[in-house]
Each structure stands twice: as structure tokens, then as C-alpha cells.
Amino acid sequence: MEPQRVQRDRDATGRARNARPRDGLGRPLPHGLTGVPTTPDDLVLPPAEALREAERLLADGRPFHAHEVLEGAWKACDDDTRELWKGLAQLAVGVTHLRRGNEIGAVRLLSRAGERIAPYAPIAPHGIPVAALTTWTRELIAMIGKAPIPEGMLAPRLTPS
């Protein structure tokens, strides 16, 4: 008997798109259920707006969606801050893993994020508090598995104070 082929969601150009609804942490739900609104795949915001929106989403407990906003900025970036945006997206994924209860994944992604953004601390592009975010990643990693994480610790500042 032949294995059954899985029907994939595709856009008009043939690129894979997941049309399944998602929960608040980005986990796919079965077709037919109602999920939370997601970020459009083609959303690209100017840097300051992307940072504000991602920060708002993190504060609302929606780090997966913050990741999507930051990923859009990273993929649209055509200057030497590309790795910074990638690190910020990884930071949001690390928080997503932590909120989902995946402590190992959280530590891995937060570690990568901290390493990726740290070189930008001296210049702080777009006013991003890179040094504070790097410290935040280290402090959060140190707390994982040792104590309950305070809710406020899961929503770092991405914009200048």
C-alpha cells in the first residue's frame, strides 16, 4: 500500500503556507477550529514600527507573533543589521519555547539570540537597547529551571525607554 500524500497549503506562487489556525503561542490547531489572528506572511514594517509591534506582542504574551514581525524585518533587511534582526527574532522564539514549557529549547534559542545581538551593543541600531537585551537573555537563562519566571521577565524592552 502506498503512503498517503499530505496535502500542503500553498499560496499562488506555490510557496508553502500553513493555513491551519493557531493558538496564542503559535501552535497549529486542527482545521475547523478558530485560532487567534496571526501575522500576515508578507508583513514588512519599518524598523521602529516593527520594534514597537513586537514589543507590544511580547507584552501581550504572544511571543510567536512577535517573532513573525521580527522575522519580517530580518528578511527585508538589506544592511549590516540583518544578524541583529535575526537575533531579535530568535529571542522571541526563545520566549515562545519557554511559554510552551520547552525549557531546553528556550535556553538554546535565548543563548543564540544573545550571542547574535551582543556585537551590536556599542552602536545600538534603531535605538535598540542591545546591551540591556544581552543582559536580559543571560539573566533569564540563569533562572530557567531554578525558579518560576516572573511574567514581566518574559516581555523585554525592544525600543528605547
Side-chain angles (χ1 to χ4, degrees), residues 40-148:
D41 288 330
D42 58 352
L43 178 70
V44 177
L45 300 172
E49 196 174 333
L51 291 166
R52 281 192 305 274
E53 179 64 4
E55 186 174 273
R56 182 189 69 77
L57 289 163
L58 286 165
D60 288 348
R62 298 178 64 198
F64 176 82
H65 300 90
H67 150 263
E68 290 183 324
V69 169
L70 295 165
E71 185 178 59
W74 150 40
K75 290 183 176 180
C77 183
D78 61 358
D79 62 18
D80 59 355
T81 62
R82 188 172 177 84
E83 288 297 302
L84 171 64
W85 289 105
K86 188 173 184 179
L88 292 173
Q90 288 177 322
L91 179 148
V93 174
V95 175
T96 301
H97 281 299
L98 192 55
R99 285 192 175 275
R100 289 177 177 176
N102 178 0
E103 292 180 347
I104 293 170
V107 168
R108 285 182 181 152
L109 266 292
L110 291 167
S111 296
R112 286 185 208 150
E115 290 168 9
R116 187 162 264 131
I117 67 174
Y120 294 90
I123 53 175
H126 308 290
I128 299 169
V130 179
L133 283 170
T134 304
T135 299
W136 172 85
T137 60
R138 283 193 303 269
E139 290 173 354
L140 183 56
I141 289 167
M143 293 176 70
I144 294 173
K146 295 180 180 77

